[in-house]
Amino acid sequence: MQIKVLGSGAGGGLPQWNCNAENSKDARNGHEHVKPRSQSSIAVSSNGKDWVLLNASPDIRQQIFDTKQLHPHADGPMRNSPIQAVILTNGDVDHVTGLLCLREGHAFNLYASNRVLGTINANTIFNVLNKEKVQRLEITLGTPFEVMSPNGSLGLEVTPFAVPGKVALYLEKEKAGTNFGTEEGDTIGLYVKEIATGKSFYYIPGCAMVDQPLRDRIEGAEMIFFDGTLFTNNEMLDQGLLPKTGERMGHMNMSGDDGTLKIFEDINITRKIYIHINNSNPVLRDNSEERKIVESKGWEVSYDGMEINL
Amino acid sequence: MQIKVLGSGAGGGLPQWNCNAENSKDARNGHEHVKPRSQSSIAVSSNGKDWVLLNASPDIRQQIFDTKQLHPHADGPMRNSPIQAVILTNGDVDHVTGLLCLREGHAFNLYASNRVLGTINANTIFNVLNKEKVQRLEITLGTPFEVMSPNGSLGLEVTPFAVPGKVALYLEKEKAGTNFGTEEGDTIGLYVKEIATGKSFYYIPGCAMVDQPLRDRIEGAEMIFFDGTLFTNNEMLDQGLLPKTGERMGHMNMSGDDGTLKIFEDINITRKIYIHINNSNPVLRDNSEERKIVESKGWEVSYDGMEINL
């Protein structure tokens, strides 16, 4: 199973278009220790020829351009793409906007929970994807499904499961209380297994909390991509960027007693990789103290173009 | 007045993600005569500090990254952007998707016709732009308006006017006859005038036909950006790309008796620039015969990063 990180950043990417903070400024100016990052998405393939995208980021056109595995097959028809399916983990703008760039008549399958499909269906702009060519397939939490291209199996089995999270920002209901109208299925994780080999990994780019069911589920995993949004819960306030904590955004921090570094210490996982890393996070500076800390705890910080063979 | 071409390509850009034709293939592989092009949009400024975007393409994040004039002011607040207003010429995915990337709390004004605003309003995903910070302002065909930032005048006056065109693909009504339900205001052109100097130009990236009212309007213009989608009406069919003519897409061709080269021969315009150029168009090869032809007729072929001072 081949995995390619198309984008490792959180919403906005690095640099973020309107952000003047140190990380964005340095990424914009080509700082040697602060590499640009596009918005989070990965591609997975069992046969190396047909690929499944986990989320479709707004940066998808550039991500495809930068990823030779996703270029049209040179010996294929005049219009073709290795992208055979897209699976969405939520309805966030940074995870669904890329669908609007996958028009032009290419057939692929779109998988999402009924909550997220409801959002796609309610926004007619997504009809730019011809429903006859791009089937919208509902996935059921807790139920494994074989990922199919319009022509057959892609050799991968995926199990979607609910994780603690928050509904997408533009769907928040202010009057719905502290969870803003969030329902189960608004944020999901994916367990991806190659059918032929049984190799597997977890993809959880957004998660508000590691509760006991999630801990039990991922115990013993071969590999996990996990929400690396913030280093500290307050860092966006501290940097004067946004009056919101990570908790309020439905994302986790790395440091502290409630952080992933601490929580994952007693969960047995062979390979742990942060993804969906916000532009405010100091681990994005590859010579920072914080980068040293997370690496010393056995975590990797994913980057655009990262390739993994399982 | 400063003008910066952010994107010179039509929908899909060059290369187009799923296109195997010669132009896309060569652009992908770094061919010296076939430069990549992002999707059409230009930025305009009267004071060189505050900028107005004409359309917001899906490639906007990369376009901002590539354009130093659109970087946050280094001496400004932690979050800031020179982008103070966006004016839409239609509801096409390649002209509105970039709005989804202009979130993160920045205040600017959004101008569009009531038809296009209706589409934006009907798609709740655009609520990611907080309506209190991003005012949606209706523009009236034929009525000049002063382009305002949330803080005051941007020194530009714009007159929107209807041009022959077609409603956006995802809004087409199959049963509505040969115009697919198109109404006046679905496609507009913009006349942009700098208030202080009176300098002006036309921006018409999509146009199905130069009718007499349009001809009368642009006669004597200083400069025009005009729909350069196709070289020949049938080129997408001929290249095996799409079973549609330019006419069916609501766009014009350059060559032939009904083409812009011929039609503009007896319209007096000082500077004529093609924009919104489709990846199938042979003028995108800068050493092609077709490029020589359009240049010999006094046309320029715009490119990403092109700068003009009027």
Side-chain angles (χ1 to χ4, degrees):
Chain A
M1 179 159 52
Q2 295 176 47
I3 301 160
K4 182 101 190 177
V5 175
L6 304 180
S8 53
L14 178 71
Q16 181 177 303
W17 74 285
N18 66 336
C19 189
N20 218 0
E22 206 182 357
N23 283 351
S24 281
K25 219 184 248 186
D26 286 342
R28 206 173 274 129
N29 295 329
H31 192 295
E32 62 169 328
H33 291 300
V34 188
K35 304 284 183 304
R37 284 158 199 268
S38 61
Q39 293 165 87
S40 68
S41 172
I42 68 170
V44 188
S45 178
S46 174
N47 64 8
K49 186 169 179 280
D50 301 303
W51 291 79
V52 179
L53 303 191
L54 307 190
N55 293 323
S57 105
D59 301 319
I60 198 167
R61 184 171 172 266
Q62 188 68 35
Q63 291 171 339
I64 292 171
F65 183 79
D66 291 338
T67 308
K68 65 178 189 315
Q69 292 91 334
L70 300 182
H71 293 177
H73 300 299
D75 55 355
M78 216 32 115
R79 290 272 175 97
N80 82 82
S81 166
I83 298 170
Q84 296 296 321
V86 176
I87 308 174
L88 303 176
T89 64
N90 62 18
D92 277 356
V93 161
D94 46 318
H95 287 160
V96 306
T97 299
L99 292 174
L100 300 174
C101 301
L102 296 181
R103 62 213 171 96
E104 314 289 359
H106 178 63
F108 66 92
N109 285 333
L110 175 62
Y111 293 95
S113 72
N114 68 334
R115 284 281 287 177
V116 174
L117 281 186
T119 300
I120 302 287
N121 291 336
N123 281 271
T124 57
I125 195 168
F126 290 103
N127 292 347
V128 78
L129 298 178
N130 180 337
K131 286 184 198 173
E132 286 170 25
K133 300 215 171 190
V134 181
Q135 282 202 60
R136 300 177 182 187
L137 303 167
E138 184 179 326
I139 60 184
T140 306
L141 298 181
T143 305
F145 64 95
E146 188 171 353
V147 188
M148 307 294 285
S149 82
N151 304 311
S153 175
L154 292 168
L156 300 169
E157 184 191 86
V158 168
T159 309
F161 51 90
V163 296
K166 189 186 67 60
V167 69
L169 181 63
Y170 62 94
L171 299 172
E172 283 188 2
K173 293 176 183 147
E174 285 300 334
K175 291 174 184 160
T178 53
N179 77 352
F180 303 98
T182 302
E183 292 184 18
E184 191 177 78
D186 279 334
T187 301
I188 64 177
L190 301 174
Y191 173 63
V192 181
K193 190 172 79 174
E194 188 175 40
I195 294 169
T197 62
K199 298 267 185 186
S200 66
F201 70 97
Y202 284 89
Y203 187 66
I204 309 176
C207 184
M209 195 178 97
V210 180
D211 57 10
Q212 196 59 43
L214 179 57
R215 182 185 284 262
D216 292 346
R217 185 184 288 274
I218 59 181
E219 170 68 30
E222 235 174 307
M223 188 169 86
I224 193 167
F225 286 97
F226 199 80
D227 183 340
T229 308
L230 302 176
F231 193 78
T232 53
N233 188 37
N234 288 324
E235 76 190 33
M236 297 191 71
L237 288 109
D238 291 346
Q239 294 179 32
L241 300 178
L242 195 72
K244 282 185 182 175
T245 60
E247 197 181 354
R248 168 63 184 87
M249 297 190 297
H251 287 292
M252 289 190 72
N253 37 285
M254 296 173 175
S255 65
D257 282 346
D258 60 350
T260 44
L261 291 173
K262 176 84 178 157
I263 288 167
F264 278 77
E265 265 178 7
D266 51 357
I267 306 176
N268 172 35
I269 296 175
T270 311
R271 193 169 176 187
K272 295 172 292 192
I273 305 171
Y274 282 125
I275 199 165
H276 193 276
I277 307 160
N278 195 54
N279 50 71
S280 57
N281 193 323
V283 304
L284 294 180
R285 309 183 76 84
D286 60 23
N287 61 347
S288 67
E289 276 310 303
E290 291 83 355
R291 172 69 76 91
K292 279 186 207 143
I293 291 169
V294 305
E295 288 179 347
S296 74
K297 298 269 190 182
W299 283 86
E300 294 170 68
V301 174
S302 68
Y303 52 89
D304 292 16
M306 184 181 193
E307 290 190 8
I308 294 168
N309 286 294
L310 268 192
Chain B
M1 179 159 51
Q2 295 176 46
I3 301 160
K4 181 99 190 178
V5 175
L6 305 180
S8 52
L14 178 71
Q16 181 177 303
W17 74 287
N18 67 335
C19 188
N20 219 0
E22 205 182 357
N23 283 351
S24 283
K25 218 184 252 186
D26 286 343
R28 206 173 274 130
N29 296 328
H31 192 295
E32 64 169 325
H33 290 299
V34 188
K35 304 286 183 302
R37 283 159 200 268
S38 60
Q39 293 164 87
S40 67
S41 172
I42 69 170
V44 188
S45 178
S46 174
N47 65 8
K49 187 169 178 278
D50 301 302
W51 290 79
V52 179
L53 303 191
L54 308 190
N55 292 324
S57 105
D59 301 319
I60 198 169
R61 184 171 171 268
Q62 188 69 36
Q63 291 171 340
I64 293 172
F65 183 80
D66 291 339
T67 308
K68 65 178 188 314
Q69 293 91 334
L70 299 183
H71 293 177
H73 300 300
D75 55 355
M78 220 27 119
R79 290 271 175 97
N80 83 82
S81 166
I83 298 171
Q84 297 296 322
V86 176
I87 308 174
L88 303 177
T89 63
N90 63 15
D92 277 356
V93 161
D94 46 319
H95 286 160
V96 305
T97 299
L99 293 174
L100 300 174
C101 301
L102 296 181
R103 60 212 171 99
E104 315 289 359
H106 178 64
F108 66 93
N109 285 335
L110 175 63
Y111 294 93
S113 72
N114 68 336
R115 284 282 287 175
V116 174
L117 281 185
T119 300
I120 301 286
N121 291 335
N123 281 269
T124 58
I125 195 166
F126 290 102
N127 292 346
V128 78
L129 297 177
N130 179 336
K131 285 184 197 173
E132 286 170 25
K133 300 215 170 190
V134 181
Q135 282 202 60
R136 300 176 182 186
L137 303 168
E138 185 178 327
I139 59 183
T140 307
L141 299 180
T143 304
F145 64 96
E146 188 171 353
V147 187
M148 307 294 285
S149 81
N151 304 311
S153 173
L154 292 168
L156 300 170
E157 184 190 87
V158 169
T159 309
F161 51 91
V163 296
K166 188 187 67 62
V167 70
L169 181 63
Y170 62 94
L171 299 172
E172 283 187 3
K173 292 175 185 148
E174 285 301 334
K175 290 175 185 160
T178 52
N179 77 352
F180 303 98
T182 302
E183 293 184 18
E184 191 176 77
D186 279 334
T187 301
I188 64 177
L190 301 173
Y191 173 63
V192 181
K193 188 172 80 174
E194 187 174 41
I195 294 169
T197 62
K199 298 266 184 186
S200 66
F201 70 97
Y202 284 88
Y203 187 66
I204 309 176
C207 184
M209 197 177 94
V210 180
D211 57 11
Q212 195 60 43
L214 179 58
R215 181 186 286 260
D216 293 344
R217 185 184 288 275
I218 60 181
E219 171 68 31
E222 234 173 308
M223 187 169 86
I224 193 167
F225 286 96
F226 199 80
D227 183 339
T229 308
L230 302 177
F231 192 78
T232 53
N233 188 36
N234 288 324
E235 75 191 35
M236 298 191 71
L237 288 110
D238 290 347
Q239 295 179 31
L241 300 178
L242 194 71
K244 282 184 182 176
T245 60
E247 196 181 354
R248 167 65 184 86
M249 297 189 297
H251 287 292
M252 289 190 71
N253 36 283
M254 297 172 174
S255 65
D257 283 345
D258 59 350
T260 44
L261 291 174
K262 176 82 179 160
I263 288 167
F264 278 77
E265 264 177 9
D266 50 357
I267 306 177
N268 171 35
I269 296 174
T270 310
R271 193 169 176 187
K272 294 171 291 191
I273 305 171
Y274 282 125
I275 199 164
H276 192 277
I277 307 159
N278 195 55
N279 50 70
S280 57
N281 193 322
V283 304
L284 294 179
R285 310 183 74 84
D286 60 23
N287 61 347
S288 67
E289 275 311 303
E290 291 84 354
R291 171 69 76 93
K292 279 186 208 142
I293 292 169
V294 305
E295 288 178 348
S296 74
K297 298 269 190 181
W299 282 86
E300 295 170 69
V301 174
S302 67
Y303 52 90
D304 293 16
M306 184 181 192
E307 290 189 9
I308 295 167
N309 286 295
L310 267 193

